[in-house]
Amino acid sequence: MLSEPIAPDDAVDYAQVFKALSDPVRLRLFSLIASRDGGEVCVCELTKQFEVTGPTISHHLKVLRETGLVGSQRRGTWVYYWVYPQTLTRLGRVFSPA
């Protein structure tokens, strides 16, 4: 984006990502998942970090999933989340000067 104008279709995609990350809870969830050693985290560990209800956390995680920022897998009772590495690369390119 800094080296050439963003294409119209890319602008729509990026806007959805930035909209998803514009909520403080979702941004913090994304950060907690992305910074996790081992690459994934159980929802049971995420809910402890917030003063909102479990259903609210589930809603925010759903938004992150639907936007393509995180992936998830149910294992028994719990759901585990991870950030797609290509998502981090793509977001990094938005602000890269070259």
Side-chain angles (χ1 to χ4, degrees):
M1 183 153 79
L2 297 177
S3 61
E4 63 184 49
I6 192 167
D9 290 342
D10 289 338
V12 171
D13 292 340
Y14 281 121
Q16 290 174 340
V17 168
F18 292 137
K19 183 178 179 182
L21 292 174
S22 70
D23 181 278
V25 172
R26 287 193 293 265
L27 182 59
R28 189 150 176 252
L29 279 167
F30 184 75
S31 175
L32 287 166
I33 296 167
S35 64
R36 180 66 176 204
D37 285 338
E40 63 181 28
V41 61
C42 177
V43 69
C44 60
E45 295 175 50
L46 293 171
T47 55
K48 297 175 190 177
Q49 304 293 323
F50 297 89
E51 294 182 12
V52 296
T53 65
T56 299
I57 294 296
S58 293
H59 165 74
H60 287 303
L61 289 167
K62 178 183 175 187
V63 171
L64 293 174
R65 273 193 332 270
E66 289 176 345
T67 310
L69 290 165
V70 300
S72 66
Q73 181 183 47
R74 178 171 293 282
R75 297 183 198 150
T77 307
W78 301 109
V79 178
Y80 289 78
Y81 291 87
W82 61 86
V83 170
Y84 291 116
Q86 64 270 24
T87 299
L88 294 176
T89 301
R90 185 169 183 237
L91 287 174
R93 281 194 304 249
V94 171
F95 300 108
S96 178

